[in-house]
Structures are given as C-alpha cells and as structure tokens.
Amino acid sequence: MADDHILTTDGLTKEFAGFVAVRNVALRVRRHSIHALIGPNGAGKTTCFNLLTKFLRPTRGRILYNGRDITAERSADIARLGMVRSFQISAVFPHLTLLENVRIALQRTLGTSFHFWRSERSLDALNARAEELLDSVGLAQYRDLAAVELPYGRKRALEIATTLALDPEMMLLDEPMAGMGHEDIDKISELIRKVAARRTVLMVEHNLSVVAKLSDIITVMRRGEILAEGTYDTVSRNPEVIEAYMGTGHG
Amino acid sequence: MTWNRDMLAFLAFLALAIAAPAAVYPVFLMKVLCFALFACAFNLLVGYVGLLSFGHAMFFGGAAYISGHVVKVWGWPTELGILAGTACAALLGLVTGAIAIRRQGIYFAMVTLALAQMVFFFCLQANFTGGEDGIQAIPRRPLLGLLDIKNDLTFYYVVLAVFCAGFLVIYRTIHSPFGQVLKAIRENEPRAVSLGYRVDQYKLLAFVLSAALAGTAGATKAIVFQLASLTDVQWQMSGEVVLMTLVGGMGTVFGPIVGAGVIITMQNYLAGFGEWVLVIQGLIFVVVVLAFRRGVVGELMAWWRRRAGG
C-alpha cells in the first residue's frame, strides 16, 4: 500500500536559530485526494509548504515523492518532477499579459528557453494551448490584458491556469482563498474540485467551510507538530483541535 | 505593433546617425555610440533581469586593454582586436557572474563592485596594461585588410555598424523565448522557480551577454581613441553607465542611447567647468531620481500612453 501515497515525510523538522517551526512531521498524502493542512497562525503550515517545495532546507527528516527521496533536490527540479506550488500572495507575472503568463509555464517544453537569438514569435505555437487553459478558468476574453489589471479573484484563477499548464501530478496551494469574496470563493472551490479529478492537491487554507467542503482528509497542525488527522467530521470533533482553535485551556 | 513602433524608431535613429557627421564631428559621435552600446548592454541586465551591476567597468575597460594589446603588440587586425575584447569580457562575465548571481539586490551590486575593484588593481599592476600610462597609440589597422579606417569619418560608419549589430543582438534577446523567461524572473522570481526554471542559469547567460556587449563597446572605444587607460576600468565608469541608463530610462529599449547622448554631450560641452561637471552630473542624478524616475524615454512613453488612453 506504500505507493498509495504520493507524498510522505518522515521526521520533517525545521529550526530557525533555536526556534522549532516544524517538528517531526510525518505527513502522508494519498494519491488523487484533496488534502488540507490547517491550524492556528504560526502552526508551521507555510513553513511545511516551503520545506516540501525546497524553498527552505529541512534541518532534519526525509521527503519522499512517488517513492523517490527528494530531500536534496532544488526547487526548480521539484516542479519538473510534477509537484507545483502556489504562493500566499497571488503569484502572477504582473506586467505580462494573461496569455504570456500561461505561456511562460508552457514554453519550457519547447526546449528553446535559452535561445536568445530566436524570435519570440516562435512562442506563438503555444497560443492555442494557452488560450485553452485560460478558457478553462474563464479568463479567455482577457488574454491580452496585463495580469496586474485583474481583480484579485481572477489573479488566483490565472495562477491556477498557469500551474495547470505544467500538467502537474500534484498541486500545492498556499491559502488559495485568502482575501477573496464569497463569489470568488465558490468559483475557485469549483475550479479546485475540477482540477483535482486527476491530480493530488495539498492545500493550506484558513476558511474552514471551504476545507470542509473540498477536502478528503485534513491534517491539523499546532506549534509545528501534527495534532490530529482525519476527515472533517472526525477532526472537528477532536477536543484538542477545538481547544487549539478556541485558544482555551492550559498555557 | 510594438515591433513596428520600435522598428520605426530605430530607422529614424539610423537616419539621424548616418546624417549626423554633417553637423557634429565624428570622434564625438563615435564616443557617444560606444557609450550607448555600453549602456544598452548594462540595461539588458538591470532593466530586463532586475540585476544592478556596479562593476560593469571591468568588462568595458578590460576589453579595451585586451583589444589595445592584441592590436598594438601582437599586431592583430582591428576586427579581431574587437572580437578578442568581446570574448575576454564574456569569459570574465562568466567567472564574475557565476559568483555574483548567488546574491540579490544590494549584495549583488556589492559583489560586482568588489570584483571590479580586483580587476582594476590587476590592471594597475599588470605589465601589459602600461600602468598609469595605459596602452597608447593603438594603431588603426585597415578593416579586414581592405578598408582604411585612419579617416575618422570612415571609421565612424564602421562604429555605427558595430553599434547596430550590438543593439540588434540586445533587441532580439529581449524579444526572444529567453527574454520572456528573463521578464518572468524580473517580475516574480519565486514563481519562475516554482514553474521549474533554474533561474540562476538564465541570470548567468544574461550576465555573460551583457558583459560581452559591454566588452564590444570598450574594445571599440579603445580603437577609436587609440587608447586604453585606467579611466575605463575604474569604478566611476561603472557609476557613469548607471547614470546614463537611469537618465535615459531603465528597461526601455532606446533609453540608454538617449542617456549616453545626454551625459557624453554634457561632459564634452561643460568640460570648461572642470570638476564642476561632476557636481552637475550629481544634480541631474538627484533630479532624475526624484522627478523623472522613468528616465527621458520612459517618461515620454508614459506621456504618450496617457495621451493615447484619453
């Protein structure tokens, strides 16, 4: 059953000058599931994300992706293996058009990314695919707009389209709903559900109703450690989790 | 559409440059062109990758020494001299770039400055550079063994051709698949990484290209003035190219040309004021940073867009 898990960590630990941000985390992410990582502020969720995608180097521990040890890989290579992340602040290229934004993700496959002597028109071959991707998130009509001009929710949609361009096996979404209105939340939720059909999604999210609606499995973190794990129903009844969220009790 | 507009602007510039010797004396024009190429090469790095190098004089001045030496001492023809300067600048760019791109922002600038100072002291101490005297009386050998370039006017058109070649390389680089990745890195580096780009390799190639073309500019300048000296490698030269790019418009295609024109003209015509030129330059720098942050060309383009937008 081991290969039922696409991503596993063992004893994952990150210390910052004496402060332990992530302690001994053993994460098991099932293939084709939507897995949510929740917890109060400072629980180490984003640090965890940064460790998984190698934006931070773990102090101790091991990360296995598809059974392969990726603890020592570089960030860019993690993406090449099929694990692509998003960021808390919407990650678009603000002064490029929507089409160019998506095309950046597509163009690596052409193998001409170092060709400084070739015309950028050679990239037009990717336009059809880029438009298809924009269409899939409902942004096709804005293809020539600079990304900076989009409202926040649509930037997020663009970011997802760009991520999808890499056809990743696994997507890591860092607070995809942060700062969004109701309407956008519904739209992006729908989008995440749609793209998760053939993929694995691991997300950090504060909006618990989104988490409840979308996730198959939830890991609750507190002070850098895993507090509980399970479906929304089991986790939300766990007294320790309730305590962590309500902030009552000892301490 | 953008392409057409840029093309028109370039053709206008070309027409102006071809006609210019009728009004202005060629050595001055050649100086402007050399510095314009230098600033364009610098702008490729700061304007399109977001890397502020404070050591570009090492490529400009280093290449000047190399081309001066191989032409004067080894008797190489002019075109090979310029190519040798370019190649050495590229090589120096590869080595220094590999060290510098590991750092970002102000630290990148400091590392490039430190490396450029090392190159400066090497040039001061080494035998072939002639120390304080520099390499003087570099001969202007016939180009390709055919074209006599002792005449300033003839050589001016050669320098114009060199400039155009360099400028077109930069223009193409900006508008290439590689240039697209560079823009993505400038706009949002972590995102470019998360999309699978090993950004250090892209930065390094951009750094080498920028260094090589700065070298072309320096090597050509050495042949123009028949002189390679410490002025070309010292840190003030690195500062000057920053100033030119800023005044003209960082990240605009034509800005550095305008900036180089403005600064060189000032230095030439205000030369009578002696050291005061530096004070005036400093003032201009302050004014640009405070009031025209986009530079001459940048402000013009913004004004044009505002007008077009209504």
Side-chain angles (χ1 to χ4, degrees):
Chain A
M1 287 306 277
D3 57 343
D4 196 18
H5 292 125
I6 185 165
L7 184 76
T8 61
T9 69
D10 289 311
L12 194 62
T13 301
K14 179 68 186 175
E15 295 173 8
F16 293 107
F19 168 72
V20 186
V22 170
R23 187 196 304 269
N24 237 339
V25 165
L27 204 60
R28 299 276 178 277
V29 180
R30 213 157 18 88
R31 198 181 300 279
H32 299 308
S33 67
I34 300 183
H35 193 129
L37 207 53
I38 66 170
N41 282 326
K45 297 161 301 195
T46 294
T47 308
C48 228
F49 251 53
N50 286 333
L51 290 174
L52 294 176
T53 49
K54 318 307 307 166
F55 277 76
L56 284 175
R57 196 183 295 269
T59 313
R60 273 188 300 282
R62 218 160 59 116
I63 306 167
L64 294 177
Y65 175 73
N66 274 331
R68 171 179 172 168
D69 191 335
I70 59 162
T71 321
E73 299 277 356
R74 288 180 295 179
S75 298
D77 297 329
I78 298 291
R80 288 161 185 236
L81 289 174
M83 184 159 101
V84 181
R85 70 167 292 175
S86 75
F87 295 83
Q88 237 171 59
I89 323 148
S90 80
V92 296
F93 303 112
H95 296 101
L96 301 185
T97 66
L98 269 61
L99 191 77
E100 286 172 325
N101 261 274
V102 178
R103 231 167 45 176
I104 290 287
L106 290 170
Q107 84 171 74
R108 205 161 42 77
T109 56
L110 287 183
T112 60
S113 292
F114 283 106
H115 293 192
F116 60 86
W117 58 87
R118 197 184 285 267
S119 167
E120 63 189 342
R121 288 187 203 178
S122 63
L123 298 174
D124 287 350
L126 302 169
N127 286 2
R129 177 74 188 124
E131 274 171 39
E132 221 174 272
L133 285 158
L134 283 175
D135 195 38
S136 73
V137 298
L139 290 175
Q141 69 265 43
Y142 307 112
R143 52 165 272 182
D144 293 321
L145 212 62
V148 67
E149 292 173 46
L150 287 181
Y152 190 78
R154 291 201 164 126
K155 272 187 195 144
R156 277 266 127 125
L158 172 61
E159 191 186 329
I160 290 176
T162 309
T163 303
L164 286 176
L166 296 180
D167 195 17
E169 215 185 337
M170 179 163 185
M171 290 170 78
L172 281 74
L173 307 174
D174 196 356
E175 297 195 28
M177 308 299 173
M180 268 190 205
H182 278 298
E183 258 175 67
D184 283 334
I185 287 185
D186 290 343
K187 263 189 223 146
I188 300 293
S189 296
E190 203 40 56
L191 197 57
I192 291 175
R193 196 195 302 280
K194 205 167 84 185
V195 304
R198 299 181 298 112
R199 304 170 212 278
T200 313
V201 173
L202 175 64
M203 64 177 185
V204 167
E205 183 51 54
H206 277 300
N207 186 324
L208 290 183
S209 70
V210 170
V211 170
K213 218 164 59 181
L214 279 180
S215 353
D216 302 310
I217 206 147
I218 296 166
T219 300
V220 187
M221 288 184 72
R222 187 184 58 175
R223 292 183 202 142
E225 287 175 285
I226 292 181
L227 183 63
E229 197 166 67
T231 62
Y232 186 78
D233 287 334
T234 32
V235 164
S236 62
R237 285 199 203 100
N238 185 320
E240 275 194 282
V241 173
I242 295 169
E243 186 195 294
Y245 265 89
M246 303 314 279
T248 52
H250 55 77
Chain B
M1 198 180 99
T2 326
W3 208 79
N4 284 337
R5 198 192 59 199
D6 286 348
M7 223 48 215
L8 279 177
F10 181 69
L11 288 176
F13 161 80
L14 202 58
L16 197 71
I18 289 171
V24 191
Y25 84 113
V27 173
F28 170 76
L29 288 173
M30 286 192 274
K31 188 176 177 188
V32 170
L33 284 180
C34 289
F35 277 98
L37 181 57
F38 184 26
C40 285
F42 174 79
N43 184 44
L44 174 64
L45 206 55
V46 72
Y48 293 91
V49 201
L51 290 174
L52 173 65
S53 157
F54 209 81
H56 255 47
M58 65 178 147
F59 309 122
F60 186 77
Y65 278 123
I66 296 294
S67 75
H69 184 75
V70 300
V71 170
K72 185 182 175 185
V73 181
W74 295 357
W76 286 20
T78 303
E79 63 277 3
L80 281 184
I82 293 176
L83 284 178
T86 306
C88 286
L91 204 64
L92 185 61
L94 186 66
V95 175
T96 53
I99 299 169
I101 54 159
R102 293 159 188 274
R103 294 287 171 265
Q104 288 177 337
I106 187 75
Y107 301 103
F108 175 84
M110 297 307 284
V111 171
T112 50
L113 175 61
L115 291 166
Q117 285 305 93
M118 287 168 64
V119 171
F120 172 80
F121 283 110
F122 170 78
C123 292
L124 184 64
Q125 299 297 331
N127 274 327
F128 83 97
T129 58
E132 302 277 354
D133 299 332
I135 304 175
Q136 297 181 8
I138 300 165
R140 282 195 196 167
R141 294 181 204 288
L143 198 72
L144 301 167
L146 298 168
L147 185 65
D148 181 27
I149 52 171
K150 288 209 174 62
N151 177 305
D152 281 339
L153 187 62
T154 317
F155 194 40
Y156 167 71
Y157 288 107
V158 173
V159 173
L160 182 60
V162 169
F163 171 83
C164 288
F167 180 82
L168 290 175
V169 167
I170 291 167
Y171 189 81
R172 174 40 68 88
T173 303
I174 293 167
H175 297 279
S176 70
F178 175 66
Q180 278 288 318
V181 180
L182 289 186
K183 276 175 227 166
I185 293 171
R186 180 193 62 187
E187 297 266 302
N188 192 336
E189 186 172 332
R191 181 53 169 166
V193 171
S194 85
L195 292 177
Y197 288 104
R198 294 168 182 150
V199 296
D200 279 358
Q201 296 174 0
Y202 291 85
K203 286 181 183 175
L204 185 57
L205 178 54
F207 195 90
V208 171
L209 285 171
S210 174
L213 289 163
T216 310
T220 311
K221 192 204 161 221
I223 309 287
V224 170
F225 287 95
Q226 304 183 277
L227 172 72
S229 72
L230 287 172
T231 318
D232 299 337
V233 272
Q234 67 190 8
W235 66 267
Q236 285 94 332
M237 186 60 80
S238 300
E240 224 155 77
V241 76
V242 177
L243 183 62
M244 287 172 187
T245 310
L246 235 99
V247 167
M250 202 188 276
T252 63
V253 179
F254 296 100
I257 305 178
V258 174
V262 169
I263 299 293
I264 299 297
T265 308
M266 256 179 41
Q267 284 175 354
N268 241 45
Y269 289 93
L270 301 181
F273 293 103
E275 293 293 300
W276 283 98
V277 174
L278 291 177
V279 177
I280 298 169
Q281 265 186 27
L283 267 176
I284 290 184
F285 189 73
V286 171
V287 169
V288 166
V289 169
L290 287 179
F292 309 101
R293 206 160 292 180
R294 284 179 281 223
V296 175
V297 173
E299 292 292 342
L300 276 175
M301 274 166 63
W303 173 78
W304 184 259
R305 264 198 300 270
R306 269 200 305 276
R307 225 188 55 148

